[in-house]
Amino acid sequence: MPRGQKSKLRARAKRRQARQEPSDLVEAQPTEPEEEEFPSSPSPSFEDVPQSSAATGTSSSLQVPGKVCSTTTVAASVSDAKFSEGATDQGKETPKVSQSKDTTEQSSKDLVDEKVPLLVNYLLYKYQMKEPVTKRDMLRKVIHKHKNLFSEILKKASEHLELLFGLDVKETDPNRGIYVLVNKLELGCDEKTGNDREIPKTGLLMIVLGVILTKGNCATEEQVWKVLNLMELYEEKKDRIYGDVKRLITKDLVQKKYLEYRQVANSDPPVYEFLWGPRAYSETTKMKVLEFVARIHGKVPAAFPSLYEEALKDEEERAQARASARARTAALARARTWAKAHSSSSTK
């Protein structure tokens, strides 16, 4: 190669190296290699999450971020369904939106809206795999360079996980930024043997229980599907997350005694209705379900006066029942003690 051409190539290589140096300096921080740090974590696009696995029991539902994107609108959708028309706004005024939106704020909002469903998807995957997640994981795998928006993105993702799946994001180690997802609704409808873990269905159950509660403790099938349709859950269509929704609410949750599903008396053509099942009454309360409904509306339980009064009455009745049970247990214990003492004295 001619000497002049070699010189040009060397000069071009030096210029290219000079352009790369600033980013190399940023990269050259004293940290461990990324591939060694998170070997089991999925990539930002989640393309390496297995479609399905008989060994791990993971489902393919998390492969479609679009579904998670659509479900992040559920809170607004369910609110539009008007669970109850008795809600009060408690004197809060909706601030007027200025016509001239700040470009930076709008850009941040768009980024948050984009990242929330991705983080929901990522956290659901970690929940399925029974793995804790760190703030560093979330920043590297989902948030990337938008660290200043981390708190807002995590807050919104946590709200969606709570409303849709009944999962609570808890920070177990603030110093190391370690988080875990726990099922906060204390319902056993997601019980499953083995090491695998399915996406919880307690959020869907709580929504159905909420519809029943707000319709006078008995909701027609049409009323329930009206709300579920707003969540893009349909009677004739299988869902990637919940599967066969019709079977889930009319058979599976009925067999587990969380719901009752029966034909309305003397209805022709047949009309069916839902009620709370005995397990729903034993494992949750009207107040807890009302709190869930209120969060969907962005309100407090007292904003639904008649339902709040009913829930308070239910709490009082449960408290009285517990007190009576304790009294019976104490009386039985005293009777046994007396009988034992009497038996001992009579044998002397």
Side-chain angles (χ1 to χ4, degrees):
M1 181 181 294
R3 184 177 298 177
Q5 191 172 350
K6 285 184 179 179
S7 178
K8 288 181 180 179
L9 288 174
R10 281 197 297 271
R12 189 179 302 166
K14 286 182 179 180
R15 287 196 298 272
R16 186 164 54 247
Q17 183 179 356
R19 285 197 300 269
Q20 290 175 347
E21 280 178 359
S23 62
D24 292 340
L25 290 173
V26 174
E27 298 278 341
Q29 298 298 320
T31 57
E32 298 178 28
E34 184 171 346
E35 57 270 21
E36 292 181 12
E37 211 164 348
F38 311 116
S40 63
S41 300
S43 66
S45 63
F46 308 102
E47 291 175 354
D48 61 338
V49 180
Q51 292 288 328
S52 62
S53 169
T56 62
T58 55
S59 72
S60 61
S61 59
L62 295 183
Q63 308 315 305
V64 189
K67 177 58 189 173
V68 179
C69 284
S70 66
T71 54
T72 56
T73 62
V74 69
S77 298
V78 175
S79 294
D80 291 340
K82 298 298 182 187
F83 266 140
S84 170
E85 296 179 1
T88 62
D89 56 14
Q90 297 199 334
K92 290 184 179 180
E93 294 183 4
T94 304
K96 295 182 179 179
V97 181
S98 172
Q99 293 296 324
S100 55
K101 280 186 175 287
D102 183 84
T103 305
T104 304
E105 289 182 3
Q106 184 61 38
S107 176
S108 297
K109 182 181 182 301
D110 292 342
L111 279 170
V112 170
D113 291 343
E114 175 189 340
K115 294 294 184 180
V116 166
L118 294 176
L119 185 56
V120 168
N121 207 355
Y122 178 69
L123 292 173
L124 281 175
Y125 171 72
K126 300 295 279 187
Y127 175 81
Q128 269 194 306
M129 301 305 294
K130 296 186 177 181
E131 296 176 355
V133 62
T134 66
K135 179 178 179 179
R136 198 173 188 182
D137 281 339
M138 291 183 273
L139 289 172
R140 289 198 175 194
K141 303 297 182 179
V142 182
I143 311 298
H144 303 306
K145 61 183 179 181
H146 310 293
K147 295 181 180 181
N148 59 314
L149 299 175
F150 172 77
S151 297
E152 186 178 355
I153 293 170
L154 179 61
K155 179 183 177 183
K156 288 194 174 184
S158 300
E159 290 171 355
H160 292 311
L161 286 165
E162 179 185 5
L163 292 176
L164 292 176
F165 307 107
L167 292 175
D168 192 17
V169 180
K170 288 184 175 292
E171 188 176 18
T172 57
D173 189 338
N175 293 327
R176 293 190 294 166
I178 297 178
Y179 297 79
V180 295
L181 273 70
V182 295
N183 196 324
K184 67 175 294 181
L185 298 179
E186 299 178 357
L187 295 171
C189 65
D190 294 310
E191 292 171 350
K192 190 172 181 180
T193 57
N195 296 324
D196 54 347
R197 178 186 273 170
E198 289 186 341
I199 296 176
K201 300 175 177 65
T202 43
L204 178 62
L205 173 58
M206 288 292 279
I207 287 174
V208 176
L209 293 177
V211 177
I212 296 169
L213 175 65
T214 57
K215 298 301 180 183
N217 298 308
C218 181
T220 65
E221 190 170 14
E222 181 183 2
Q223 290 170 330
V224 171
W225 280 112
K226 183 178 179 181
V227 173
L228 296 184
N229 287 169
L230 291 171
M231 297 171 60
E232 298 183 13
L233 300 175
Y234 302 101
E235 185 174 359
E236 69 284 352
K237 184 179 178 182
K238 283 192 175 183
D239 181 72
R240 290 189 178 93
I241 290 178
Y242 297 114
D244 188 337
V245 182
K246 181 176 176 64
R247 177 184 174 83
L248 176 62
I249 65 174
T250 62
K251 291 185 179 180
D252 297 345
L253 292 175
V254 172
Q255 289 174 356
K256 290 184 177 182
K257 300 188 181 301
Y258 285 105
L259 296 173
E260 287 187 16
Y261 179 66
R262 68 187 187 188
Q263 182 178 340
V264 177
N266 304 319
S267 59
D268 187 23
V271 175
Y272 291 86
E273 61 187 5
F274 287 95
L275 298 88
W276 283 30
R279 259 187 104 173
Y281 279 106
S282 65
E283 294 184 20
T284 191
T285 66
K286 291 184 177 181
M287 185 61 78
K288 287 182 180 179
V289 174
L290 179 57
E291 288 171 351
F292 185 86
V293 171
R295 281 197 299 275
I296 290 176
H297 284 270
K299 299 181 181 295
V300 295
F304 302 82
S306 60
L307 292 174
Y308 186 60
E309 184 178 347
E310 180 182 347
L312 284 175
K313 183 178 179 182
D314 179 62
E315 293 290 301
E316 292 174 3
E317 291 173 352
R318 287 172 180 267
Q320 290 174 1
R322 288 194 296 269
S324 298
R326 286 196 296 269
R328 286 195 298 271
T329 301
L332 183 60
R334 287 195 299 270
R336 286 175 178 171
T337 302
W338 180 87
K340 186 176 180 180
H342 182 74
S343 176
S344 299
S345 61
S346 62
T347 56
K348 293 180 180 179

